[in-house]
Amino acid sequence: MELKTILITQARTGSTRLPGKVLMEVDGKSLLQIHLDRLKKCHKISKIIVATTENEEDQVIFDKATEWGFESYRGSESDVLDRFYQSVKDQNPDWIVRVTSDCPLIDPELVDQVVAFAQENDCDYASNGLIENYPDGQDVEVFKFSALQLAWEHAKLNSEREHVTPFIRNNSDFKDGNLFKALNFACPADFSTIRMTVDEPVDFDLIEILIHKLGTEQSWLTYTKYIIEHNLGKLNDQIIRNEGLLKSLKND
């Protein structure tokens, strides 16, 4: 029996550092559409859901996703864990994949590899970011729906509601917890200083260069090598990784 694996990507127009970033365009195509078009190439995904907020300005994300043939759901802006859970709870999935829409060049083959790794090892949670050696912007998290449900029922901290998976990671054997079995999908080398996510204007500049030079169909490694060979990291390597999560942790 084939496992039902639903990918949820969170998307909103509100962003303190770069408002409307996922709707910014390169060559007439928004970053959100580029992101979704790449994800459509995944072989291990049964369905893609765009999880946006109930804010008026995010109606456009709901409408665009629907227009492009994707399922979309609107939920809480701040309780993203609830938004995720509500978007999928009636669909009986076995596995959930979490990515974020500010990663336009997310690699579908990498997504498939992390999904296969999680399912073959039958762990509750697997990610290529427990040890952060992949470029920022290529983050993939795969977890059992049962783990998401448990997190939704028990997570209390702001950081655990705002960012979906901290409760699972914090209570996993990877962090000496005992609720979940978690595994890291290892990277062949340390590319942790490379950024392909879009949080600030310079991030967008880099993505624009990559798309103009290489198009939107390349692998994460091809983009990474291009950044290294052309010293493009200097554009944005001073930006702190996971700044949003760090802010939430401070507010707990």
Side-chain angles (χ1 to χ4, degrees), residues 16-27:
T16 46
R17 288 176 283 174
L18 191 58
K21 61 186 180 182
V22 300
L23 297 176
M24 292 171 73
E25 294 186 351
V26 180
D27 298 341

Side-chain angles (χ1 to χ4, degrees), residues 5-250:
T5 305
I6 297 182
L7 182 144
I8 306 172
T9 183
Q10 60 197 66
R12 65 190 180 104
T13 55
S15 162
T16 46
R17 288 176 283 174
L18 191 58
K21 61 186 180 182
V22 300
L23 297 176
M24 292 171 73
E25 294 186 351
V26 180
D27 298 341
K29 225 178 187 189
S30 70
L31 297 186
L32 179 61
Q33 192 175 2
I34 293 165
H35 170 80
L36 290 169
D37 281 350
R38 282 177 68 83
L39 289 169
K40 267 199 307 206
K41 297 185 170 71
C42 293
H43 298 295
K44 302 251 174 216
I45 302 299
S46 319
K47 175 187 285 192
I48 295 171
I49 297 175
V50 180
T52 191
T53 84
E54 292 161 327
N55 295 355
E56 199 179 321
E57 61 266 29
D58 286 332
Q59 181 68 46
V60 62
I61 287 181
F62 182 91
D63 293 343
K64 288 281 183 197
T66 308
E67 180 192 320
W68 299 327
F70 296 92
E71 194 171 310
S72 193
Y73 175 83
R74 300 181 75 185
S76 169
E77 178 178 31
S78 56
D79 190 345
V80 189
L81 174 55
D82 184 67
R83 195 198 315 168
F84 257 65
Y85 178 73
Q86 299 298 341
S87 75
V88 80
K89 70 174 177 19
D90 297 328
Q91 307 208 26
N92 294 325
D94 299 295
W95 292 86
I96 304 296
V97 180
R98 175 180 179 253
V99 296
T100 57
S101 62
D102 52 7
C103 304
L105 297 178
I106 186 90
D107 189 325
E109 196 174 321
L110 181 59
V111 173
D112 280 341
Q113 287 168 353
V114 182
V115 171
F117 175 75
Q119 293 175 349
E120 284 160 14
N121 287 286
D122 195 34
C123 54
D124 299 296
Y125 173 95
S127 169
N128 63 344
L130 282 169
I131 299 167
E132 292 177 337
N133 283 339
Y134 276 90
D136 196 354
Q138 295 295 341
D139 307 302
V140 184
E141 295 180 289
V142 181
F143 40 97
K144 288 179 178 174
F145 176 70
S146 56
L148 176 66
Q149 188 159 22
L150 208 61
W152 179 76
E153 288 166 359
H154 296 286
K156 297 285 185 285
L157 297 172
N158 279 343
S159 60
E160 293 176 342
R161 307 297 307 188
E162 283 176 22
H163 295 276
V164 186
T165 54
F167 179 86
I168 301 173
R169 290 199 305 272
N170 294 341
N171 290 284
S172 73
D173 54 5
F174 198 84
K175 297 273 183 94
D176 298 323
N178 55 14
L179 285 182
F180 307 105
K181 176 188 173 187
L183 291 172
N184 183 65
F185 183 80
C187 192
D190 182 359
F191 297 116
S192 56
T193 60
I194 305 293
R195 278 178 68 84
M196 285 182 231
T197 189
V198 180
D199 282 321
E200 302 199 8
V202 286
D203 291 326
F204 179 77
D205 296 342
L206 176 61
I207 294 294
E208 198 170 35
I209 292 167
L210 290 176
I211 291 173
H212 283 156
K213 296 294 183 185
L214 300 172
T216 58
E217 306 287 316
Q218 302 297 333
S219 71
W220 72 269
L221 194 53
T222 300
Y223 291 121
T224 300
K225 285 177 174 172
Y226 190 87
I227 291 169
I228 293 166
E229 284 161 12
H230 295 82
N231 197 24
L232 295 174
K234 67 180 187 296
L235 286 174
N236 62 0
D237 61 7
Q238 71 288 356
I239 300 168
I240 298 164
R241 189 168 183 148
N242 295 329
E243 202 172 329
L245 176 58
L246 296 173
K247 211 156 96 183
S248 295
L249 290 169
K250 209 181 276 184

